[in-house]
Amino acid sequence: MKIALAQMKTTADMEDNFQKLVRLAERAAAEGADLICYPEIQLSPFFPQYPSRDASAYLLSRDSRYIREFCDVCRKNGIYASPNFYVEENGHRYDMSFLIDDVGTILGTQKMVHIAECEQFYEQDYYTPSDDGFSVFDTRFGKIGIVVCFDRHYPESIRTEALRGAELILIPTANTKAEPAEMFRWEIRTQAFQNIVNIAMCNRCGTEGQMEFSGESLLSDFDGNLTTLAGDQEELLIAETDLAGCAARRKTRPYLSLRRPEHYA
């Protein structure tokens, strides 16, 4: 499977950001990618860096034209996509990723489960925690899961999706240059190794307010090898990954099957 990671800058203009999404999907499809993954809330500026502001201008509903039109983009270009939006559903607001297939069908969504609350990440002012936990989606390439940004810092997130059969986990994120980039790379590689799962993390880049996003989107294979790493500027990173190999490796490195959860309470 060939994955495209759309490392990108965003502005306050949602329409401009959306057109960039479309162009990147078209380019990824033209370059042979099967799936394109985007950073966290890539239609808007990173508003959670400020506490208690009105971000309703960036809020989408499930029937938003942006979502409908992006499904059409996937269909027209024959590409899977995982965009991440600020979405209102049943009166609650979520940091929500979508998985859309190559005929424009929404296979499912993944909401952020753990909500950060610290300097420049005042996310509890904007997001409701997920009410349906973690999901893994069947595709013609294999089983794909999504772990949204902050959730990756909790080993239970990736472990849960691996136990549900995920062979690839996508992580949309918003990492900054003030954060420990090398540690974040090892965090992904270690979890990929321990859970025998491919992990692709796609980040923002550029400066917004007091935050300088670091880029460095990456792909780790199920052996923990860093197979590709972006720089700190806008980039469409395209790489191959082997979903089918997870099952064979889980037999030779049986970390998951030899678990003893009765002792983990």
Side-chain angles (χ1 to χ4, degrees):
M1 183 183 187
K2 188 178 287 188
I3 302 176
L5 301 179
Q7 183 167 291
M8 56 182 281
K9 299 177 182 179
T10 63
T11 70
D13 190 319
M14 290 182 69
E15 186 62 32
D16 282 353
N17 296 331
F18 180 73
Q19 292 305 321
K20 183 181 288 188
L21 261 65
V22 172
R23 291 193 299 271
L24 287 166
E26 292 171 342
R27 180 180 157 197
E31 295 186 24
D34 300 300
L35 178 149
I36 183 168
C37 180
Y38 294 90
E40 185 183 22
I41 54 169
Q42 77 291 294
L43 271 191
S44 68
F46 193 74
F47 52 81
Q49 71 174 292
Y50 306 107
S52 303
R53 291 198 177 184
D54 181 6
S56 57
Y58 306 120
L59 191 63
L60 305 184
S61 64
R62 286 291 292 264
D63 63 352
S64 161
R65 77 166 182 89
Y66 286 121
I67 296 173
R68 294 197 313 270
E69 290 181 11
F70 196 73
C71 288
D72 287 340
V73 170
C74 291
R75 177 182 55 80
K76 291 175 183 177
N77 290 275
I79 190 169
Y80 280 65
S82 184
N84 177 278
F85 302 125
Y86 186 36
V87 178
E88 185 167 44
E89 184 176 74
N90 299 323
H92 298 288
R93 297 180 175 188
Y94 298 100
D95 185 336
M96 183 186 295
S97 281
F98 287 69
L99 186 62
I100 304 166
D101 71 12
D102 53 358
V103 294
T105 300
I106 296 174
L107 299 180
T109 61
Q110 177 65 57
K111 305 164 188 168
M112 186 187 285
V113 175
H114 307 91
I115 310 298
E117 187 66 14
C118 55
E119 186 177 358
Q120 295 188 325
F121 293 91
Y122 300 100
E123 298 185 346
Q124 292 185 16
D125 291 352
Y126 302 96
Y127 305 142
T128 303
S130 171
D131 52 4
D132 49 16
F134 295 101
S135 300
V136 172
F137 309 103
D138 289 314
T139 76
R140 63 184 178 87
F141 302 103
K143 292 182 179 294
I144 298 177
I146 305 168
V147 167
V148 180
C149 195
F150 188 65
D151 282 337
R152 77 180 191 277
H153 297 309
Y154 294 81
E156 296 86 353
S157 306
I158 289 172
R159 173 57 55 88
T160 298
E161 295 192 356
L163 290 172
R164 293 179 179 174
E167 297 158 311
L168 169 66
I169 292 176
L170 307 173
I171 301 176
T173 193
N175 302 335
T176 72
K177 291 191 175 184
E179 296 176 292
E182 184 177 2
M183 180 65 72
F184 286 177
R185 290 194 293 273
W186 279 110
E187 178 184 48
I188 296 301
R189 296 177 65 181
T190 299
Q191 293 194 81
F193 178 83
Q194 292 180 335
N195 293 288
I196 308 101
V197 64
N198 302 289
I199 303 178
M201 183 167 69
C202 187
N203 194 23
R204 303 163 81 94
C205 61
T207 300
E208 301 176 32
Q210 299 302 308
M211 302 180 78
E212 186 177 4
F213 295 101
S214 57
E216 299 190 359
S217 299
L218 61 84
L219 174 65
S220 173
D221 70 13
F222 51 71
D223 287 326
N225 297 308
L226 188 62
T227 59
T228 190
L229 176 67
D232 64 355
Q233 300 300 311
E234 287 193 304
E235 183 174 348
L236 184 66
L237 191 67
I238 299 180
E240 298 275 356
T241 188
D242 176 16
L243 275 65
C246 288
R249 183 66 83 245
R250 286 171 180 169
K251 292 178 181 178
T252 61
R253 195 167 70 238
Y255 295 166
L256 298 182
S257 62
L258 297 179
R259 293 172 66 253
R260 300 187 64 195
E262 69 271 21
H263 295 296
Y264 302 159

